[in-house]
Each structure stands twice: as C-alpha cells, then as structure tokens.
CSV table of all heavy atoms in Angstrom, one decimal:
chain,number,residue,atom,x,y,z
A,21,LEU,N,0.8,-1.2,-0.1
A,21,LEU,CA,0.0,0.0,0.0
A,21,LEU,C,0.9,1.2,0.0
A,21,LEU,O,1.8,1.3,0.8
A,21,LEU,CB,-0.9,0.0,1.2
A,21,LEU,CG,-2.1,1.0,1.2
A,21,LEU,CD1,-3.1,0.5,0.2
A,21,LEU,CD2,-2.7,1.1,2.6
A,22,GLU,N,0.6,2.2,-0.9
A,22,GLU,CA,1.5,3.3,-1.1
A,22,GLU,C,0.7,4.6,-1.0
A,22,GLU,O,-0.4,4.7,-1.6
A,22,GLU,CB,2.3,3.3,-2.4
A,22,GLU,CG,3.3,4.4,-2.6
A,22,GLU,CD,2.7,5.6,-3.4
A,22,GLU,OE1,1.6,5.4,-4.0
A,22,GLU,OE2,3.2,6.7,-3.3
A,23,GLN,N,1.3,5.7,-0.4
A,23,GLN,CA,0.7,7.0,-0.4
A,23,GLN,C,1.9,8.0,-0.6
A,23,GLN,O,3.0,7.7,-0.1
A,23,GLN,CB,0.0,7.3,0.9
A,23,GLN,CG,-1.3,6.5,1.1
A,23,GLN,CD,-1.8,6.7,2.5
A,23,GLN,OE1,-1.1,6.8,3.5
A,23,GLN,NE2,-3.2,6.9,2.6
A,24,SER,N,1.6,9.1,-1.2
A,24,SER,CA,2.6,10.1,-1.3
A,24,SER,C,2.7,10.9,0.1
A,24,SER,O,1.7,11.2,0.7
A,24,SER,CB,2.3,11.2,-2.4
A,24,SER,OG,3.1,12.4,-2.2
A,25,ASN,N,3.9,11.2,0.5
A,25,ASN,CA,4.2,11.9,1.7
A,25,ASN,C,4.8,13.3,1.3
A,25,ASN,O,5.4,13.9,2.2
A,25,ASN,CB,5.0,11.1,2.7
A,25,ASN,CG,5.1,11.8,4.0
A,25,ASN,OD1,4.1,11.9,4.7
A,25,ASN,ND2,6.2,12.0,4.6
A,26,GLY,N,4.8,13.6,0.0
A,26,GLY,CA,5.4,14.8,-0.5
A,26,GLY,C,5.8,14.8,-1.9
A,26,GLY,O,5.7,15.8,-2.6
A,27,ASP,N,6.3,13.6,-2.4
A,27,ASP,CA,6.6,13.5,-3.8
A,27,ASP,C,5.4,13.5,-4.7
A,27,ASP,O,4.5,12.7,-4.5
A,27,ASP,CB,7.5,12.2,-4.0
A,27,ASP,CG,8.1,12.1,-5.4
A,27,ASP,OD1,8.2,13.2,-6.0
A,27,ASP,OD2,8.6,11.1,-5.7
A,28,ALA,N,5.5,14.3,-5.8
A,28,ALA,CA,4.3,14.4,-6.6
A,28,ALA,C,4.4,13.6,-7.9
A,28,ALA,O,3.5,13.6,-8.7
A,28,ALA,CB,4.1,15.9,-7.1
A,29,TYR,N,5.5,12.8,-8.1
A,29,TYR,CA,5.8,12.3,-9.4
A,29,TYR,C,5.6,10.7,-9.4
A,29,TYR,O,5.6,10.1,-8.3
A,29,TYR,CB,7.2,12.6,-9.8
A,29,TYR,CG,7.3,14.0,-10.4
A,29,TYR,CD1,7.7,15.1,-9.7
A,29,TYR,CD2,6.9,14.2,-11.8
A,29,TYR,CE1,7.7,16.3,-10.3
A,29,TYR,CE2,7.0,15.4,-12.4
A,29,TYR,CZ,7.4,16.5,-11.6
A,29,TYR,OH,7.4,17.8,-12.1
A,30,ASP,N,5.4,10.2,-10.6
A,30,ASP,CA,5.4,8.7,-10.8
A,30,ASP,C,6.9,8.2,-10.7
A,30,ASP,O,7.7,8.6,-11.5
A,30,ASP,CB,4.8,8.4,-12.2
A,30,ASP,CG,5.4,9.2,-13.3
A,30,ASP,OD1,5.9,10.2,-13.1
A,30,ASP,OD2,5.3,8.7,-14.5
A,31,ARG,N,7.1,7.3,-9.9
A,31,ARG,CA,8.4,6.8,-9.6
A,31,ARG,C,8.5,5.2,-9.8
A,31,ARG,O,7.5,4.5,-9.5
A,31,ARG,CB,8.9,7.1,-8.2
A,31,ARG,CG,8.8,8.6,-7.9
A,31,ARG,CD,9.8,9.4,-8.7
A,31,ARG,NE,9.8,10.8,-8.2
A,31,ARG,CZ,10.6,11.8,-8.6
A,31,ARG,NH1,11.4,11.5,-9.7
A,31,ARG,NH2,10.6,13.0,-8.1
A,32,THR,N,9.6,4.8,-10.1
A,32,THR,CA,9.9,3.3,-10.2
A,32,THR,C,10.0,2.7,-8.8
A,32,THR,O,10.7,3.3,-7.9
A,32,THR,CB,11.1,3.0,-11.0
A,32,THR,OG1,11.1,3.5,-12.3
A,32,THR,CG2,11.4,1.5,-11.1
A,33,GLY,N,9.3,1.6,-8.5
A,33,GLY,CA,9.4,0.9,-7.3
A,33,GLY,C,9.7,-0.6,-7.5
A,33,GLY,O,9.3,-1.1,-8.6
A,34,SER,N,10.2,-1.2,-6.5
A,34,SER,CA,10.5,-2.6,-6.6
A,34,SER,C,10.6,-3.2,-5.2
A,34,SER,O,11.1,-2.7,-4.3
A,34,SER,CB,11.9,-2.8,-7.3
A,34,SER,OG,12.2,-4.2,-7.4
A,35,VAL,N,9.9,-4.4,-5.1
A,35,VAL,CA,10.0,-5.2,-3.9
A,35,VAL,C,10.9,-6.4,-4.2
A,35,VAL,O,10.7,-7.1,-5.3
A,35,VAL,CB,8.6,-5.7,-3.5
A,35,VAL,CG1,8.8,-6.6,-2.2
A,35,VAL,CG2,7.7,-4.6,-3.2
A,36,PHE,N,11.9,-6.6,-3.5
A,36,PHE,CA,12.9,-7.6,-3.9
A,36,PHE,C,13.5,-8.4,-2.6
A,36,PHE,O,13.3,-8.0,-1.5
A,36,PHE,CB,14.1,-6.9,-4.5
A,36,PHE,CG,14.7,-5.8,-3.7
A,36,PHE,CD1,15.8,-6.1,-2.8
A,36,PHE,CD2,14.3,-4.5,-3.8
A,36,PHE,CE1,16.3,-5.1,-2.0
A,36,PHE,CE2,14.9,-3.5,-3.0
A,36,PHE,CZ,15.9,-3.7,-2.2
A,37,VAL,N,14.2,-9.4,-3.0
A,37,VAL,CA,14.9,-10.3,-2.0
A,37,VAL,C,16.4,-10.2,-2.3
A,37,VAL,O,16.7,-10.3,-3.5
A,37,VAL,CB,14.3,-11.7,-1.9
A,37,VAL,CG1,15.3,-12.7,-1.2
A,37,VAL,CG2,13.0,-11.7,-1.3
A,38,ILE,N,17.2,-10.2,-1.3
A,38,ILE,CA,18.6,-10.2,-1.6
A,38,ILE,C,19.2,-11.6,-1.4
A,38,ILE,O,19.2,-12.1,-0.2
A,38,ILE,CB,19.4,-9.2,-0.6
A,38,ILE,CG1,18.9,-7.8,-0.8
A,38,ILE,CG2,20.9,-9.4,-0.9
A,38,ILE,CD1,19.7,-6.8,0.1
A,39,PRO,N,19.5,-12.4,-2.4
A,39,PRO,CA,20.1,-13.7,-2.2
A,39,PRO,C,21.5,-13.6,-1.6
A,39,PRO,O,22.3,-12.7,-1.9
A,39,PRO,CB,20.2,-14.2,-3.6
A,39,PRO,CG,19.3,-13.4,-4.5
A,39,PRO,CD,19.3,-12.0,-3.8
A,40,THR,N,21.7,-14.4,-0.6
A,40,THR,CA,23.0,-14.4,0.1
A,40,THR,C,23.7,-15.7,0.1
A,40,THR,O,24.5,-16.1,0.9
A,40,THR,CB,22.7,-14.0,1.6
A,40,THR,OG1,21.9,-14.9,2.2
A,40,THR,CG2,22.3,-12.5,1.7
A,41,ASP,N,23.4,-16.6,-1.0
A,41,ASP,CA,24.0,-17.9,-1.1
A,41,ASP,C,25.4,-17.9,-1.8
A,41,ASP,O,25.9,-19.0,-2.0
A,41,ASP,CB,23.0,-18.8,-1.8
A,41,ASP,CG,22.6,-18.3,-3.2
A,41,ASP,OD1,22.7,-17.1,-3.4
A,41,ASP,OD2,22.3,-19.2,-4.0
A,42,GLN,N,25.8,-16.7,-2.3
A,42,GLN,CA,27.0,-16.7,-3.0
A,42,GLN,C,28.1,-15.9,-2.1
A,42,GLN,O,27.7,-15.3,-1.1
A,42,GLN,CB,26.8,-15.9,-4.3
A,42,GLN,CG,25.8,-16.6,-5.3
A,42,GLN,CD,26.3,-18.1,-5.6
A,42,GLN,OE1,27.5,-18.2,-6.0
A,42,GLN,NE2,25.4,-19.0,-5.6
A,43,LYS,N,29.3,-15.8,-2.6
A,43,LYS,CA,30.4,-15.1,-1.9
A,43,LYS,C,30.1,-13.7,-1.7
A,43,LYS,O,30.3,-13.1,-0.6
A,43,LYS,CB,31.7,-15.4,-2.6
A,43,LYS,CG,32.9,-14.7,-1.9
A,43,LYS,CD,34.2,-15.0,-2.7
A,43,LYS,CE,35.4,-14.2,-2.1
A,43,LYS,NZ,36.7,-14.4,-2.8
A,44,THR,N,29.6,-13.1,-2.8
A,44,THR,CA,29.2,-11.6,-2.7
A,44,THR,C,27.7,-11.5,-2.9
A,44,THR,O,27.1,-12.2,-3.8
A,44,THR,CB,29.9,-10.9,-3.9
A,44,THR,OG1,31.3,-11.1,-3.8
A,44,THR,CG2,29.7,-9.4,-3.8
A,45,SER,N,27.1,-10.5,-2.2
A,45,SER,CA,25.7,-10.3,-2.4
A,45,SER,C,25.5,-8.8,-2.6
A,45,SER,O,26.4,-7.9,-2.3
A,45,SER,CB,24.9,-10.7,-1.2
A,45,SER,OG,25.0,-9.8,0.0
A,46,PHE,N,24.2,-8.4,-3.1
A,46,PHE,CA,23.9,-7.0,-3.2
A,46,PHE,C,24.0,-6.2,-1.9
A,46,PHE,O,24.2,-5.1,-1.9
A,46,PHE,CB,22.4,-6.9,-3.7
A,46,PHE,CG,22.2,-5.5,-4.3
A,46,PHE,CD1,22.6,-5.2,-5.6
A,46,PHE,CD2,21.5,-4.6,-3.6
A,46,PHE,CE1,22.3,-4.0,-6.2
A,46,PHE,CE2,21.2,-3.3,-4.1
A,46,PHE,CZ,21.6,-3.0,-5.4
A,47,LEU,N,23.9,-7.0,-0.8
A,47,LEU,CA,24.0,-6.3,0.5
A,47,LEU,C,25.4,-5.8,0.8
A,47,LEU,O,25.5,-4.7,1.4
A,47,LEU,CB,23.7,-7.4,1.6
A,47,LEU,CG,23.6,-6.8,3.1
A,47,LEU,CD1,22.5,-5.8,3.3
A,47,LEU,CD2,23.4,-8.0,4.1
A,48,ASP,N,26.4,-6.4,0.2
A,48,ASP,CA,27.7,-5.8,0.2
A,48,ASP,C,27.8,-4.5,-0.4
A,48,ASP,O,28.5,-3.6,0.0
A,48,ASP,CB,28.7,-6.8,-0.4
A,48,ASP,CG,28.7,-8.2,0.3
A,48,ASP,OD1,28.8,-8.1,1.6
A,48,ASP,OD2,28.8,-9.2,-0.3
A,49,GLY,N,27.2,-4.4,-1.6
A,49,GLY,CA,27.1,-3.1,-2.3
A,49,GLY,C,26.4,-2.0,-1.5
A,49,GLY,O,26.8,-0.9,-1.5
A,50,LEU,N,25.3,-2.4,-0.9
A,50,LEU,CA,24.6,-1.4,0.0
A,50,LEU,C,25.4,-0.9,1.1
A,50,LEU,O,25.4,0.3,1.5
A,50,LEU,CB,23.2,-2.1,0.5
A,50,LEU,CG,22.2,-2.4,-0.5
A,50,LEU,CD1,21.1,-3.2,0.2
A,50,LEU,CD2,21.6,-1.1,-1.1
A,51,LYS,N,26.2,-1.8,1.7
A,51,LYS,CA,27.0,-1.4,2.9
A,51,LYS,C,28.3,-0.7,2.4
A,51,LYS,O,28.7,0.3,3.1
A,51,LYS,CB,27.4,-2.7,3.7
A,51,LYS,CG,26.2,-3.3,4.4
A,51,LYS,CD,26.7,-4.6,5.1
A,51,LYS,CE,25.5,-5.2,5.9
A,51,LYS,NZ,25.9,-6.5,6.5
A,52,ASN,N,28.9,-1.1,1.3
A,52,ASN,CA,30.2,-0.6,1.0
A,52,ASN,C,30.2,0.3,-0.3
A,52,ASN,O,31.3,0.7,-0.7
A,52,ASN,CB,31.1,-1.8,0.8
A,52,ASN,CG,31.2,-2.7,2.1
A,52,ASN,OD1,31.3,-2.2,3.1
A,52,ASN,ND2,31.1,-4.0,1.9
A,53,GLY,N,29.1,0.4,-1.0
A,53,GLY,CA,29.1,1.2,-2.1
A,53,GLY,C,28.9,0.4,-3.4
A,53,GLY,O,29.3,-0.8,-3.5
A,54,ALA,N,28.2,1.0,-4.3
A,54,ALA,CA,27.9,0.3,-5.6
A,54,ALA,C,29.1,-0.2,-6.4
A,54,ALA,O,29.1,-1.2,-7.0
A,54,ALA,CB,27.0,1.2,-6.5
A,55,LYS,N,30.2,0.6,-6.2
A,55,LYS,CA,31.4,0.2,-7.0
A,55,LYS,C,32.1,-1.1,-6.6
A,55,LYS,O,32.9,-1.6,-7.2
A,55,LYS,CB,32.4,1.4,-6.8
A,55,LYS,CG,32.0,2.6,-7.5
A,55,LYS,CD,33.0,3.8,-7.4
A,55,LYS,CE,32.5,5.0,-8.1
A,55,LYS,NZ,33.5,6.1,-8.0
C-alpha cells in the first residue's frame, strides 16, 4: 500500500529479496558502495 508523503511524481518501485547464497551479495554493495 503506497501514499505520497510529499513526492508528486510517478516513480519506479521494486520489492525484492537479496540472495545471500554466494560469496558476494547486493547487501555488500549497499553497505560498501555500488562500486
């Protein structure tokens, strides 16, 4: 369920799961930077 709290525009949204079964995960990028 979504409501605007200030933003007036149409925005891309995604609900996702972070797989952690490999040596590196997307969580590493969140913590340490996309690079």
Side-chain angles (χ1 to χ4, degrees):
L21 194 70
E22 182 269 342
Q23 296 174 316
S24 169
N25 194 56
D27 190 14
Y29 281 94
D30 52 336
R31 305 293 190 179
T32 302
S34 180
V35 179
F36 57 86
V37 164
I38 300 180
T40 55
D41 58 335
Q42 302 296 315
K43 180 180 178 180
T44 304
S45 78
F46 197 83
L47 187 62
D48 297 315
L50 291 173
K51 292 178 178 178
N52 305 315
K55 294 181 179 179

